[in-house]
Structures are given as structure tokens and as C-alpha cells.
Amino acid sequence: MSRNPGEAKRFYPIDSLKSPRFTGPYTFARLPHTRDLEGVDAVFIGIPFDGGVIFRPGARLGPAAVRQASLLLRLYNPYLKVKPFDVLNVADYGDINTVPSSVESTYQSVSRELKLVYERGITPLACGGDHSITLPLLREASKTYGKLALIHVDAHLDMVDQHFSQKYTHGTVFRRAYEEGLIDPHRSVHVGIRGSLYSEDEISEAESLGFQVITMRSVEERGLEAVCREIRRRVGGGAAYLSFDIDACDPSCAPGTGTPEVGGFTSREALRLLHGLAGLEFVGFDLVEVAPPYDHGEITAILAANLIYEFISLKALTKRR
Ligand code: MN
Ligand code: MN
């Protein structure tokens, strides 16, 4: 961050030609850490919480691993032909004070911080944490932008009513978002769905509520380009929110996650999927379910960091227009 008198402040990553990438402290993409939201367009926010998982915990360590894996990110995105940090002032907001034992208290903390972010028209790049953290992000987003179009990339629908009598878990988040009227199912889509299900009706039930469900098999059959075209058409020009569960990607490309499912997107396909969403009016993003204890050689964290860089680039394209 530099500020000459009379000039608006600009936020850039630390210059890695002058200061080696492995010199800390670590922030996302070596961007400035600040909670002063003045002049900021987008913020990386860590939400280190995994109290909503129903299987293997560990996603509370996600933000730290993603920051460390983000040190190699550079200034120009050649796929989307944009220098995102020339268009947007992006800061690392740090982590939200979660409450390890309480979903509800964590939701309150997330809401409190995110309210300030959305009210200022700033776009959050939230890094989980398990998928339960998406609910307060959507709640606060909808207060500013109304009903949102949701693009949900995941192996799982996360539309279960409850687990162990609990209404708020990482597998119920979009059922709650639907019930609370935060998202418009007719402009929303679940992409990458695969694996064994709780029942034969799980997908048709989501469809009967109005959601489009694009299974991994359907992606295989129709191809990513056609799928992206369809998503863009469905979402249209209104406010869109992108929630990306890293387990949408194949365990060979994202082993570090709590509920892996075989047969998912490769890293290359995940990039192509995001590039195919260019032009939509994104107002918020999250990347969830990176669980470093199951990761190997930072495979998952590096992918996650790069996907968040694509989020920033997509937002830069939206703003540039
Ligand atoms: Mn999920
Ligand atoms: Mn999932």
C-alpha cells in the first residue's frame, strides 16, 4: 500500500522482485492487511471454523494454508486478460473471530463483520472454514442486494434438512438459504454434483424447489462450455453469489478436504469453469472446505488460492465494464 499526497491510495501485492515471497507475515497474495475499509473494493476474509462438519474436521486451518499457498500469485491474469489489482483495491482483512464450539455464535461474528463489508459495496472473498459459513455471508449479502442468484459449485447439494437434529451444518446451508428467501432458486444452480446420495429423490427434490442441478455426468456429456453458457443465461444480469466447495474438484486435485468424492473437476476444468462465468454481476464469493490436515504437498491449498485469484479477476472484469 502506498499513498502519495493528493493521490488515492492503491493496494498492491508486495513486489516479489524486491522482497522474496517467503518473507512474512503472510497475507493473501501478499496484499496489505487492513481493517480500514476506506477505498477498498474487495477483501479476503478468513473464516476459520469447522464446527459445522458432520464427518472429518480440519477446515478451521484452511485460511492459514490458503494464504501460505497464495504467495506465488502474480499481477496479470492471461486467461481473463486483466490485471485485477489495477482495477480493484484488494486487502486481506484477516480472520473473523469464530467460536469453535458454536455455529450460532460464529454466525453472529460473521454477520457483524460482513454487514460492514457489504454496506460499503465491498466484495468479500471469504475463505472457509466449512460450508456452514456461507449462510451468514448470504444473509448479509441479501440485505444489500436482495434475492441472489447462487452459483454453487460442489460435489454435494448441501440441501439436507438436518443432521443429528441440527439445522445448521455444512450440509444444510442451501436448504436454510432457500427457506430464508436469500436466494432465488430459479436463477440458481448447483454444479458438479456426484457421488452416492442419501436417497433417490435428493436431486429431484432440489429441482422441484426450482434449482437447476448440473451433475458431473451432465458436465461430461455436454462439455464445460455449454454448461457455462447455460449458467450465464440462467443467472442473468442480477446480483450473483459464487460459492465454491473445493470438494467439487477431484480428490486427485484436492485431497485436502473433509468429504472427498471421486470423479470431480480437475484443476484445469475448475479454472475453465470460472473463466466461463466472466461477465456476471458478482457481489460475493466464498471458497470453502479446504482441510489442510488431509492435504499433501499443498495440492489443495494451492488450487484454492488460484481459484480465489480467479474470483478477484472475475470481479475486476465486472467492475471494469
Ligand atoms: Mn459443500
Ligand atoms: Mn461438498
Side-chain angles (χ1 to χ4, degrees):
M1 180 175 8
S2 66
R3 197 195 313 229
N4 301 324
E7 244 178 59
K9 64 182 171 182
R10 293 293 315 165
F11 288 33
Y12 280 104
I14 293 172
D15 186 347
S16 294
L17 296 174
K18 293 186 179 143
S19 136
R21 299 176 191 284
F22 42 83
T23 54
Y26 295 162
T27 59
F28 185 80
R30 312 193 78 204
L31 287 159
H33 164 61
T34 181
R35 292 208 164 183
D36 173 8
L37 296 174
E38 180 70 34
V40 170
D41 301 299
V43 278
F44 178 93
I45 300 183
I47 310 183
F49 178 73
D50 57 19
V53 305
I54 57 169
F55 187 42
R56 306 189 300 181
R60 68 178 61 180
L61 303 174
V66 171
R67 281 193 184 93
Q68 184 160 351
S70 73
L71 303 175
L72 196 55
L73 293 169
R74 303 183 187 87
L75 297 180
Y76 179 60
N77 184 332
Y79 302 107
L80 293 174
K81 300 189 171 40
V82 64
K83 290 181 97 173
F85 306 114
D86 279 1
V87 182
L88 303 172
N89 270 341
V90 187
D92 187 326
Y93 190 81
D95 290 342
I96 286 179
N97 280 326
T98 54
V99 181
S101 57
S102 169
V103 179
E104 276 85 355
S105 302
T106 295
Y107 279 7
Q108 283 171 20
S109 298
V110 175
S111 285
R112 207 164 33 238
E113 308 282 348
L114 265 295
K115 183 177 188 297
L116 306 172
V117 169
Y118 285 120
E119 278 176 358
R120 287 166 169 76
I122 297 168
T123 301
L125 314 152
C127 180
D130 72 54
H131 221 153
S132 66
I133 62 129
T134 300
L135 189 61
L137 284 155
L138 290 171
R139 281 176 179 162
E140 297 310 314
S142 75
K143 284 178 193 162
T144 297
Y145 298 103
K147 265 192 201 219
L148 303 154
L150 171 75
I151 302 168
H152 172 216
V153 189
D154 200 324
H156 313 100
L157 289 167
D158 295 349
M159 294 274 298
V160 175
D161 182 43
Q162 41 183 280
H163 292 106
F164 326 115
S165 312
Q166 300 300 303
K167 302 284 268 184
Y168 301 101
T169 77
H170 69 160
T172 65
V173 58
F174 297 112
R175 167 77 57 162
R176 296 291 94 80
Y178 166 77
E179 289 169 351
E180 294 181 20
L182 313 177
I183 50 179
D184 175 1
H186 300 282
R187 292 173 52 233
S188 297
V189 57
H190 302 281
V191 200
I193 306 303
R194 64 185 189 276
S196 55
L197 299 169
Y198 286 102
S199 79
E200 64 268 51
D201 309 322
E202 222 181 308
I203 289 175
S204 58
E205 206 196 327
E207 287 170 338
S208 71
L209 297 176
F211 290 93
Q212 183 176 17
V213 179
I214 303 177
T215 62
M216 204 65 220
R217 181 53 54 86
S218 165
V219 174
E220 278 168 52
E221 286 168 359
R222 285 189 289 165
L224 265 174
E225 231 166 279
V227 163
C228 289
R229 227 180 359 255
E230 203 174 323
I231 296 172
R232 288 199 307 270
R233 200 166 31 219
R234 184 173 176 87
V235 168
Y241 186 98
L242 175 60
S243 183
F244 198 115
D245 183 329
I246 200 71
D247 72 28
C249 298
D250 192 80
S252 60
C253 296
T257 194
T259 45
E261 300 286 350
V262 298
F265 292 112
T266 63
S267 303
R268 220 154 50 187
E269 289 165 344
L271 289 173
R272 201 169 265 281
L273 171 66
L274 294 186
H275 299 154
L277 303 179
L280 297 177
E281 293 292 327
F282 290 107
V283 300
F285 301 88
D286 66 58
L287 189 298
V288 295
E289 300 285 352
V290 173
Y294 317 107
D295 208 1
H296 303 274
E298 294 187 282
I299 298 171
T300 316
I302 291 169
L303 174 57
N306 279 274
L307 295 177
I308 293 172
Y309 179 77
E310 299 302 330
F311 296 170
I312 298 171
S313 302
L314 286 171
K315 182 65 193 180
L317 292 181
T318 304
K319 195 189 169 192
R320 198 168 65 179
R321 243 174 331 115

